[in-house]
Amino acid sequence: MKWLRSDSYSLPIVLAVGLHAGIVLTAVLAVNFSDTEKSEPKRPVIVNAKVVDVSQTIIGQREAEKKAAQKQAAAIAEQKKKAAEQARKKEVARKALEEKRKQAAQAKRLKEQAAAKKKQEAEKRAAEQKRLAQEAEKKKQAQQAEKKRLAEEKRQQELERQQKQREEALIRQAEADRLAEEERKRQQEAARIAEEKRAKDEAARKAAAEKEAQRLAAEEAQMVQSISSLINARVAAAWNRPPSARNGMKTELRIDFLPNGEVMNAQVTKGSGDALFDQRALDAVNKVRRIEELAEVDSYIFERNFRKVDLIFNPQDLRN
């Protein structure tokens, strides 16, 4: 039965309960319940109950030994379980490693087979390419031989054609040289005639140009002289004679004109020795202000002669 199992606490409990029940029953039977007897004062029932430590009993010791044995067995079982699990894991790892090695060996074998097949195919292709190359080389040599033969025939024909062309060219060249010589002589004669005519025309043009230049130079000189005299007269008319003026006194002036005839600037380049005489000469130039006739002069003549005018101011009617 279940309560008789060695690992059960039922039996010790039953024994303990029976022990306590016997003690109580003995105490009850010892009490006199007869009314005829003189009742004596009641005394408290003293029960000597003793707590029994089950572990100190034989049954408890056995239970403890059983528990220790069970615990040790459980620990041994756990160790065996762990050892079995480790062995299982090692076996799984070994099998995985073995499978990996098998797969690597299989891959290596497949790779080597593929490499061998590839090498075989490459050798086959190389042999085919070599055969095709040999055939192509033979065909090329035959074509080159035919091409060389045709080229030689063509070269001979070309040599003959060139020889014929040279002979014809010599004939044409001789005729061309004769015509060229005649043309050269004709051109020389035409050039001589043209050169003579050009020389005559050039001489006539130079003579006309020189004559025109002389005429223009004479006109320019006359114009310059006339305007210079006009400037001198205008300045003299505007001059205010100073008391210190004497015969022989002269002042050299430089006058800058604008193309419209206006006086832009005037300065003394060489004085007379009398400051008042020199200043009155400058004042006369500034009073003139403008020579209208210069506006009508050609710009080329103006730039050459009147842009800067050097004027020697020396009145002749001064006192001694």
Side-chain angles (χ1 to χ4, degrees), residues 23-242:
I23 294 171
V24 172
L25 182 60
T26 303
V28 171
L29 294 176
V31 177
N32 186 7
F33 292 98
S34 177
D35 294 335
T36 60
E37 293 182 1
K38 185 180 180 179
S39 63
E40 294 181 357
K42 295 182 178 180
R43 295 178 182 178
V45 179
I46 297 175
V47 179
N48 291 323
K50 184 178 180 181
V51 178
V52 179
D53 188 358
V54 178
S55 62
Q56 299 298 322
T57 65
I58 296 173
I59 295 173
Q61 291 177 357
R62 290 178 179 177
E63 290 296 326
E65 291 175 356
K66 287 181 180 181
K67 288 182 179 180
Q70 289 173 355
K71 186 176 181 180
Q72 184 177 4
I76 294 172
E78 183 66 21
Q79 290 179 356
K80 288 181 178 181
K81 184 178 180 181
K82 290 182 179 179
E85 181 65 18
Q86 290 178 356
R88 186 187 65 80
K89 289 182 179 180
K90 289 182 179 180
E91 181 64 17
V92 170
R94 186 190 64 77
K95 289 182 178 180
L97 180 61
E98 184 66 23
E99 182 64 23
K100 187 175 180 181
R101 288 176 178 174
K102 288 181 179 180
Q103 291 177 356
Q106 180 69 14
K108 182 179 180 182
R109 184 170 64 257
L110 293 176
K111 185 176 180 181
E112 290 176 351
Q113 290 176 355
K117 184 177 179 181
K118 186 176 180 181
K119 181 179 179 182
Q120 185 178 3
E121 291 177 352
E123 291 175 351
K124 186 177 180 180
R125 285 196 301 271
E128 181 64 17
Q129 290 177 356
K130 183 177 180 181
R131 184 185 65 79
L132 293 175
Q134 290 175 350
E135 291 180 356
E137 182 64 23
K138 290 178 181 180
K139 185 176 180 180
K140 181 179 178 182
Q141 290 177 357
Q143 290 176 350
Q144 288 178 349
E146 180 64 17
K147 186 177 180 181
K148 185 175 180 181
R149 185 186 64 78
L150 294 175
E152 182 63 23
E153 290 181 357
K154 186 176 181 180
R155 188 180 68 82
Q156 292 295 332
Q157 293 174 358
E158 182 65 20
L159 290 175
E160 294 175 359
R161 186 184 64 80
Q162 290 177 359
Q163 181 63 27
K164 185 177 180 180
Q165 285 181 348
R166 283 194 293 269
E167 293 174 355
E168 294 175 352
L170 290 174
I171 296 172
R172 287 195 300 270
Q173 185 63 40
E175 182 64 17
D177 291 343
R178 183 184 66 78
L179 295 175
E181 182 64 19
E182 291 179 357
E183 180 64 19
R184 185 182 63 79
K185 291 179 180 179
R186 185 186 66 77
Q187 289 180 357
Q188 284 181 349
E189 182 64 18
R192 185 185 63 77
I193 296 171
E195 180 63 23
E196 289 179 356
K197 184 177 183 301
R198 189 193 63 77
K200 290 179 181 179
D201 293 342
E202 182 67 17
R205 188 188 63 77
K206 286 183 178 180
E210 289 176 0
K211 186 176 181 180
E212 181 66 15
Q214 290 174 0
R215 183 184 68 78
L216 293 175
E219 291 179 357
E220 181 179 349
Q222 184 179 358
M223 181 186 295
V224 171
Q225 182 64 32
S226 176
I227 294 178
S228 297
S229 299
L230 177 63
I231 294 171
N232 196 3
R234 296 270 180 90
V235 173
W239 181 59
N240 185 6
R241 180 183 301 170

